[in-house]
């Protein structure tokens, strides 16, 4: 009879993540073993499944949008096969802002208080998007509408096309001071994607400041502005992110072209992206609009652009399993 050495079999660890006050289960929370490099997101029951390391010790980091992250160490000898981690809500507090040499006055990536708290939530939203599309790869069917804008009169023609993108090839890599792509005598300016906001290179080359609270479509939001650091002199992005002050969910990103090229290329670019939430605590791009000028725009801020474009998601099809839904869970 064959014998099995059970002492060397992997021992599972079930991590359940809940709200510290309501005890509500938190799906799509990020659960990471910082030493063993295990990364999971919780299911619709707020659970993530890991394996105990051979030494019986694990260092967990648990994060969720709208909550303060927690980092704890566990030992198998003192813990059963399951553990519940309670997270506390983020509290936004207005605070003074300091500046550094690479950022203009009152703009800084290392500020304490409100700016730091909002900055952390924005980056977490972007990182969670990347985690989500790895765990639940999807194909997006999108409609693109483009039009040339005449100097006067109405737009004569709108070009409509349908495109499909896989979640693994949906976005391009950010290049500081070089966001204009050129080829064959033409150029393109990629929109500012949500995954770019999770890119450490983007963070290292931008300054951020939370300007306080405002209203957006009836919601109280926090406006976090960003602009390139002083050492970036080529075309790049500047703009603002709007986050719901109650849930920290990303609602809208506005972007412009900073440091436009002196010669060939757009002289001005304005755009925005709004977001949808197909699964609790996760946001995906929904609609993006952009307009750009090939000539120097008039001093009149209402001058007409040369081109406009609208891109929106019509359908999402998941390739491997379905993510947690809002059914049976409280929507935040």
């Amino acid at each position: 009879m064959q014998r099995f050495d059970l002492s060397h079999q992997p021992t599972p660890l079930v991590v359940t993540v809940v709200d510290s006050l309501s005890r509500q289960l938190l799906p799509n929370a990020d659960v990471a073993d910082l030493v063993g490099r295990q990364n999971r997101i919780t299911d619709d029951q707020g659970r993530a499944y890991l394996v105990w390391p051979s030494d019986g010790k694990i260092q967990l980091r648990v994060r969720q949008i709208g909550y303060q992250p927690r980092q704890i160490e566990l030992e198998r000898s003192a813990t059963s096969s399951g553990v519940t981690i309670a997270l506390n809500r983020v509290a936004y507090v207005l605070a003074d802002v300091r500046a550094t040499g690479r950022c203009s006055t009152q703009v800084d990536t290392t500020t304490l208080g409100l700016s730091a708290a909002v900055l952390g939530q924005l980056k977490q939203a972007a990182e969670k998007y990347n985690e989500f599309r790895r765990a639940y790869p999807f194909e997006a069917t999108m409609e693109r509408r483009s039009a040339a804008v005449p100097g006067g009169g109405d737009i004569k023609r709108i070009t409509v096309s349908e495109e499909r993108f896989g979640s693994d090839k949906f976005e391009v890599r950010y290049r500081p001071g070089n966001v204009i792509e050129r080829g064959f005598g033409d150029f393109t300016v990629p929109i500012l994607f949500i995954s770019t906001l999770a890119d450490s290179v983007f963070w290292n080359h931008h300054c951020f400041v939370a300007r306080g609270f405002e209203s957006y479509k009836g919601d109280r939001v926090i406006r976090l502005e960003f602009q390139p650091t002083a050492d970036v002199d080529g075309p790049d992005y500047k703009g603002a992110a709007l986050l719901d002050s109650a849930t920290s969910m990303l609602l809208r990103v506005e972007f412009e072209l900073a440091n436009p090229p002196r010669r060939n290329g757009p002289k001005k670019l304005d755009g925005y992206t709004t977001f949808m939430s197909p699964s609790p605590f996760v946001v995906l791009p929904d609609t993006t609009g952009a307009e750009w000028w090939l000539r120097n725009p008039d001093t009149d801020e209402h001058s007409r652009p040369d081109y406009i474009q609208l891109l929106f998601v019509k359908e999402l099809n998941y390739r491997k399993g379905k993510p947690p839904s809002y059914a049976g869970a409280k929507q935040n």
Side-chain angles (χ1 to χ4, degrees):
M1 182 175 64
Q2 185 177 5
R3 296 181 180 273
F4 295 92
D5 185 358
L6 298 180
S7 64
H8 291 83
Q9 296 300 309
T11 303
L13 171 64
V14 181
V15 179
T16 303
V17 184
V18 301
D19 181 291
S20 62
L21 294 179
S22 68
R23 312 304 291 183
Q24 173 189 341
L25 299 171
L26 300 180
N28 290 323
D30 171 33
V31 179
D33 171 10
L34 299 180
V35 177
R37 304 299 181 186
Q38 300 179 78
N39 289 275
R40 303 288 188 271
I41 57 176
T42 55
D43 59 18
D44 55 1
Q45 296 300 311
R47 295 176 300 203
Y49 300 86
L50 290 81
V51 175
W52 280 103
S54 58
D55 62 359
K57 297 180 180 179
I58 193 169
Q59 188 174 355
L60 286 182
R61 184 193 64 191
V62 182
R63 300 185 303 173
Q64 181 56 287
I65 300 297
Y67 292 84
Q68 298 174 7
R70 282 193 63 184
Q71 188 167 316
I72 62 174
E73 294 184 0
L74 300 174
E75 293 189 10
R76 186 168 54 190
S77 60
T79 307
S80 64
S81 59
V83 62
T84 297
I85 307 296
L87 299 182
N88 298 320
R89 283 277 185 180
V90 169
Y92 293 115
V93 180
L94 288 170
D96 293 334
V97 178
R98 298 175 293 130
T100 63
R102 294 197 308 151
C103 296
S104 60
T105 304
Q106 294 187 344
V107 179
D108 180 38
T109 57
T110 59
T111 54
L112 300 176
L114 180 64
S115 293
V118 181
L119 198 59
Q121 290 297 308
L122 175 61
K123 188 173 184 181
Q124 188 180 155
E127 291 174 344
K128 185 176 292 294
Y129 166 69
N130 286 337
E131 295 165 359
F132 180 82
R133 63 179 180 164
R134 283 192 294 267
Y136 303 101
F138 60 84
E139 182 179 79
T141 301
M142 312 189 73
E143 183 171 297
R144 185 188 300 269
R145 300 181 179 181
S146 306
V149 181
D154 297 331
I155 294 174
K156 303 299 183 181
R157 180 186 177 190
I158 298 177
T159 302
V160 180
S161 62
E162 188 173 278
E163 304 169 15
R164 289 181 174 84
F165 297 94
S167 55
D168 55 337
K169 298 180 180 179
F170 194 43
E171 305 176 356
V172 297
R173 175 68 66 179
Y174 164 73
R175 299 174 298 175
N178 188 22
V179 299
I180 297 179
E181 298 182 350
R182 302 182 184 276
F184 302 104
D186 203 352
F187 68 87
T188 59
V189 183
I191 62 176
L192 178 57
F193 291 107
I194 183 173
S195 62
T196 301
L197 300 175
D199 190 335
S200 60
V201 177
F202 183 85
W203 285 60
N204 291 337
H205 289 86
H206 281 79
C207 305
F208 297 81
V209 61
R211 293 299 186 188
F213 302 95
E214 59 185 66
S215 178
Y216 173 69
K217 293 186 176 181
D219 294 321
R220 187 170 182 258
V221 299
I222 305 173
R223 183 181 186 84
L224 182 70
E225 297 182 352
F226 55 88
Q227 65 180 39
T229 52
D231 55 347
V232 175
D233 57 5
D236 212 300
Y237 301 112
K238 64 178 179 179
L242 304 182
L243 285 78
D244 188 298
S245 64
T247 65
S248 299
M249 295 286 280
L250 179 61
L251 301 179
R252 179 183 173 99
V253 170
E254 301 166 354
F255 55 92
E256 303 176 37
L257 183 63
N259 308 322
R262 297 180 179 87
R263 295 183 179 179
N264 298 330
K267 303 305 179 184
K268 182 180 179 182
L269 168 70
D270 292 335
Y272 71 90
T273 297
T274 58
F275 298 88
M276 60 178 170
S277 180
S279 188
F281 302 101
V282 174
V283 294
L284 272 65
D286 180 23
T287 300
T288 295
E291 56 183 12
W292 61 95
W293 290 251
L294 299 181
R295 63 193 185 283
N296 287 319
D298 299 332
T299 54
D300 180 5
E301 63 178 3
H302 299 295
S303 63
R304 295 162 68 94
D306 291 286
Y307 295 94
I308 59 174
Q309 191 170 95
L310 184 68
L311 186 69
F312 62 91
V313 176
K314 294 180 63 176
E315 185 179 10
L316 288 178
N317 290 310
Y318 294 98
R319 297 173 178 170
K320 186 179 69 174
K322 292 186 177 180
S325 67
Y326 281 106
K330 180 181 178 181
Q331 184 172 350
N332 289 283

